Each structure stands twice: as C-alpha cells, then as structure tokens.
Amino acid sequence: MSNPEVPVLPEIHHWWPRLSAHAKQLLEDAEDGVVVDEVREEIERITGTTVDPSARLSDGDRRFIRTQQEMVD
C-alpha cells in the first residue's frame, strides 16, 4: 500500500522573497509544514497559481527557510 503524494508548493525561491513578514513567521512556526490558508492565498497572489489546500512545506522548503533565518540572525 503506497502513501498518497502530498501536493507541493510552487518553487520557494519565487515567492519567499515577496512573502509578507507575518506570513514568513507563520511558516517558520509551522512545525508540521502545514501552510495555513492565509499564507497559501498570499503565495497564490504572488505566483499567480492555485495552491492545493493540502500542500505542505517540503523538507527542501524547510531547509531553505532555515538558511534565510540564519542570514538574518
């Protein structure tokens, strides 16, 4: 029995730099990778694409966010 694939977000390099500080904080605090509706809708506005409501941050997305945090620290 295989696990269904979790929908992924658009390429993080395209939307992260334009994401609001509030939305970035929500993603940084999301321990399980859940993207709340408010952030998903902001990503949709930035990218001009539809993001599946069940999309989650990938491991690569989480690594990218950590590197961005380190640059600011």
Side-chain angles (χ1 to χ4, degrees), residues 29-41:
D29 295 343
E31 293 178 19
D32 53 4
V34 171
V35 179
V36 297
D37 290 343
E38 175 183 355
V39 176
R40 183 179 47 78
E41 291 165 4

Side-chain angles (χ1 to χ4, degrees), residues 1-2 4 6 11-12 14 17-18 20 23 25-28 31 33 36 42 46 48 50 59 61 64-65 70:
M1 186 159 52
S2 64
V6 176
E11 176 61 45
I12 194 167
H14 296 283
R18 298 173 51 201
S20 69
Q25 188 63 53
L26 289 172
L27 286 178
E28 290 166 1
E31 293 178 19
V36 297
E42 191 170 332
I46 291 168
T50 300
D59 290 340
D61 292 340
F64 178 84
I65 290 169
E70 291 168 3

Side-chain angles (χ1 to χ4, degrees), residues 58-72:
S58 69
D59 290 340
D61 292 340
R62 292 182 203 194
R63 280 191 299 276
F64 178 84
I65 290 169
R66 279 194 303 274
T67 64
Q68 297 305 300
Q69 290 171 321
E70 291 168 3
M71 292 174 66
V72 174

